[in-house]
Amino acid sequence: SAATAGNSIVIGVLWNNAGTVSVADNRGNTYTSATARTAWGNNWSSQVFYATNIVGGATTVTATFGTAINGWGIIYIHEYAGLGKVNPVDVTKSAIGTGSAMSSGSVATTNATDLLFAFGASSNRVTAAGSGYTTRSTAYGNRTQDRTVSATGSYAATATQNGNAWVMQLVAFRAD
């Protein structure tokens, strides 16, 4: 379905090298990096981008990789209503690991109402979402999940996985 004008698009990108990535679409929306590229696993990368106050209509998103992809590149695209249109990112956190328990680490939100967007990937499969989170995608064995919080506080994104390497990124977006 077509994107709704004024909403936000949040994108998680995974790829199999240490090069850069940029995101664009056919509607001229401006995508900003919410997190830095996080290196994990076997020289793999993960990063979250967003565009606010988007132009509505049929939208095709493209990830352009700075280093040629010789294995895989995956994008997860989500549309949200009600996110802040100016300076929407409250706080972020990223972490990597090897055990079954995944955690972004804690962030201390500064805004009373935030959307917590979590993007987790595994060398095998992310098996379950963290407590309080709603899963949005499990494509390719990875997971996007989110939750809305209504008070400032300390929050983390958690999940479980059954591989030997993982990455978990958390972005707290301010409500409009």
Side-chain angles (χ1 to χ4, degrees):
S1 61
T4 301
N7 281 355
S8 298
I9 296 176
V10 178
I11 298 175
V13 184
L14 293 170
W15 66 104
N16 73 327
N17 64 45
T20 60
V21 67
S22 61
V23 177
D25 69 30
N26 66 318
R27 308 296 292 174
N29 294 305
T30 300
Y31 290 85
T32 303
S33 177
T35 63
R37 181 188 72 81
T38 300
W40 67 286
N42 187 20
N43 202 32
W44 303 329
S45 299
S46 175
Q47 193 166 357
V48 176
F49 294 84
Y50 67 93
T52 60
N53 200 23
I54 63 170
V55 175
T59 305
T60 301
V61 177
T62 303
T64 302
F65 300 95
T67 302
I69 296 297
N70 61 8
W72 45 267
I74 308 168
I75 58 176
Y76 297 84
I77 305 168
H78 301 287
E79 182 178 357
Y80 291 98
L83 300 186
K85 294 182 178 28
V86 177
N87 194 25
V89 175
D90 187 4
V91 289
T92 68
K93 190 79 171 182
S94 298
I96 62 172
T98 58
S100 62
M102 304 169 69
S103 178
S104 63
S106 294
V107 297
T109 61
T110 64
N111 194 55
T113 306
D114 276 358
L115 170 79
L116 304 182
F117 175 83
F119 180 43
S122 168
S123 60
N124 191 14
R125 188 169 65 88
V126 180
T127 56
S131 178
Y133 281 86
T134 299
T135 295
R136 300 299 175 189
S137 176
T138 58
Y140 302 101
N142 304 305
R143 187 171 301 259
T144 61
Q145 57 190 24
D146 59 37
R147 72 184 273 200
T148 301
V149 296
S150 57
T152 59
S154 179
Y155 299 97
T158 60
T160 57
Q161 64 94 34
N162 61 3
N164 60 12
W166 58 262
V167 60
M168 178 64 80
Q169 295 183 297
L170 172 63
V171 181
F173 289 98
R174 293 179 183 94
D176 195 12

